[in-house]
């Protein structure tokens, strides 16, 4: 089978085709034929060598949807042909081996591209809203980075919990974010959110790049507010703040998060923004990573044509 990876760090051109033997599952595993993968910023960071422990050569990727083609001897409830999704490793390949206990069946009315687009951003947003922020009805929630994959989903999930959501993004995304039904939109490139939203938020969710500008988070937060951020820490403050840095956690399993997200998406209670559909080829992965390196709008999906 074919996989796509690299033997050295660098720009998108480091990708090459890597031939590997067909995969065989262990007793509690399933092998899928890959139908779609979702590209994430973490993939770009790995490719640049910013993660010191990354081994080479590497087949990257973490989000996958595929069709079950083999199962291990202990797997009794996953029929061949089932379309499943998983958050795992080494997904830039024609076949991926998965722990059968971690897969989630994709609803029939979702395409592989729709389903895969939710995996990393959806899991991150779901845990940010439900676990780290622990949002309650009636709270004012301010979401920074509201136009991004994680941010737009956090906006929608917080609204479903009964929060009043204020969204912060650049002016060019104003229409898209307003269409999510937010109570207020603030364009950070036209106004200073620290002044416009001073002491307004019960919960601040900062999923902008690297959790930028913690000082603004603090300025927008009420006394005793909760700040949830992809940043590791906050600047010093005299405010009483509960701070949580978003990180991987099993307090809510990835599988449980995906099951709920798929239910919401399949019943039109959630929107996901796919910006790019690229072919499952070496050229497709190179183009996808070139897009990752630049400002882009929407998820970048590499997919095969779905056949019966």
């Amino acid at each position: 089978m074919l996989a796509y990876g690299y033997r050295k760090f660098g720009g998108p051109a480091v990708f090459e085709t890597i031939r590997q033997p067909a995969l065989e599952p262990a007793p509690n595993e399933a092998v899928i034929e890959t139908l779609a993968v979702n590209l994430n910023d973490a993939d770009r960071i790995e490719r640049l060598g910013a993660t010191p422990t990354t081994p080479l050569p590497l087949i990257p990727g973490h989000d996958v949807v595929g069709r079950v083609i083999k199962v291990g001897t202990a797997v009794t409830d996953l029929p061949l042909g089932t379309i499943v999704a998983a958050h795992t490793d080494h997904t830039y390949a024609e076949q991926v081996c998965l722990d059968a206990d971690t897969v989630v069946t994709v609803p029939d009315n979702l395409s592989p591209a729709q389903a895969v687009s939710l995996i990393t951003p959806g899991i991150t947003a779901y845990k940010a809203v439900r676990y780290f922020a622990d949002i309650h009805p009636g709270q004012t929630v301010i979401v920074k980075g509201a136009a991004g994959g994680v941010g737009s989903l956090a906006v929608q999930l917080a609204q479903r919990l009964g929060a009043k959501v204020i969204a912060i993004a650049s002016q060019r995304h104003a229409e898209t974010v307003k269409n999510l039904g937010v109570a207020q939109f603030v364009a950070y490139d036209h106004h200073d959110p620290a002044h416009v939203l001073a002491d307004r938020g019960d919960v601040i969710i900062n999923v902008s790049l690297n959790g930028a500008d913690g000082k603004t988070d603090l300025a927008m937060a009420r006394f005793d507010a909760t700040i949830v951020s992809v940043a590791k820490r906050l600047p010093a403050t005299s405010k009483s703040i509960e701070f949580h840095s978003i990180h991987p956690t099993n307090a809510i399993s990835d599988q449980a998060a995906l099951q709920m997200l798929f239910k919401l998406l399949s019943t039109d209670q959630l929107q996901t923004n796919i910006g790019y559909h690229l072919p499952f080829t070496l050229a497709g992965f190179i183009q996808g990573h070139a897009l990752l390196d630049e400002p882009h709008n929407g998820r970048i999906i590499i997919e095969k044509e779905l056949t019966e």
Side-chain angles (χ1 to χ4, degrees):
M1 64 126 177
L2 300 182
Y4 303 95
Y6 43 83
R7 303 177 192 276
K8 61 182 179 180
F9 299 121
V14 299
F15 272 96
E16 60 183 278
T17 302
I18 299 173
R19 293 188 176 273
Q20 293 194 319
L23 300 179
E24 294 296 331
N28 198 47
E29 291 180 337
V31 174
I32 61 170
E33 173 197 358
T34 301
L35 299 174
V37 299
N38 177 38
L39 305 193
N40 294 293
D41 195 53
D43 303 354
R44 179 185 67 86
I45 292 169
E46 285 180 341
R47 191 200 75 229
L48 293 171
T51 306
T53 57
T54 301
L56 292 174
L58 177 68
I59 298 168
H62 300 286
D63 298 353
V64 66
V65 167
R67 189 198 317 270
V68 177
I69 56 173
K70 299 177 187 177
V71 296
T73 55
V75 179
T76 59
D77 56 352
L78 200 57
L80 298 184
T82 304
I83 307 298
V84 299
H87 184 250
T88 184
D89 297 312
H90 313 305
T91 64
Y92 292 12
E94 291 182 325
Q95 295 178 7
V96 179
C97 199
L98 305 172
D99 183 333
D101 293 331
T102 66
V103 304
V104 177
T105 300
V106 175
D108 291 339
N109 64 336
L110 293 184
S111 70
Q114 287 175 307
V116 84
S117 74
L118 267 184
I119 296 178
T120 286
I123 289 170
T124 305
Y126 190 85
K127 293 183 181 183
V129 167
R130 295 301 303 267
Y131 177 67
F132 293 109
D134 190 22
I135 291 169
H136 299 293
Q139 288 184 314
T140 296
V141 176
I142 300 174
V143 179
K144 281 175 64 179
V150 177
S152 62
L153 293 170
V155 165
Q156 296 174 73
L157 293 169
Q159 288 177 142
R160 286 193 53 79
L161 292 174
K164 172 186 176 182
V165 178
I166 300 172
I168 300 173
S170 67
Q171 181 61 37
R172 68 190 180 96
H173 295 300
E175 183 177 357
T176 299
V177 176
K178 288 178 180 178
N179 285 340
L180 296 177
V182 296
Q184 184 178 351
F185 173 80
V186 177
Y188 66 78
D189 46 358
H190 283 209
H191 305 282
D192 183 355
H195 294 305
V196 176
L197 301 175
D199 302 315
R200 291 275 301 277
D202 297 302
V203 177
I204 314 297
I205 298 177
N206 185 348
V207 289
S208 59
L209 183 63
N210 298 323
D213 196 9
K215 289 183 178 179
T216 294
D217 297 349
L218 288 168
M220 296 187 299
R222 291 176 176 165
F223 193 81
D224 286 337
T226 298
I227 296 178
V228 174
S229 176
V230 294
K232 300 299 183 186
R233 60 187 62 85
L234 282 178
T237 179
S238 59
K239 284 185 175 179
S240 175
I241 297 292
E242 183 177 343
F243 175 72
H244 299 284
S245 179
I246 298 172
H247 60 273
T249 176
N250 291 323
I252 300 173
S253 71
D254 292 352
Q255 186 180 37
L258 272 183
Q259 287 171 335
M260 179 56 68
L261 290 162
F262 285 167
K263 179 179 179 180
L264 293 173
L265 186 62
S266 68
T267 54
D268 297 322
Q269 298 179 73
L270 198 64
Q271 301 176 38
T272 183
N273 178 21
I274 299 175
Y276 311 88
H277 296 263
L278 302 176
F280 202 94
T281 62
L282 177 60
F285 282 103
I286 291 173
Q287 183 182 353
H289 271 255
L291 288 166
L292 277 181
D293 281 352
E294 302 293 339
H296 56 277
N297 183 23
R299 307 308 302 173
I300 303 167
I301 306 300
I302 309 283
E303 61 185 329
K304 289 183 177 178
E305 182 178 353
L306 182 61
T307 58
E308 296 299 329

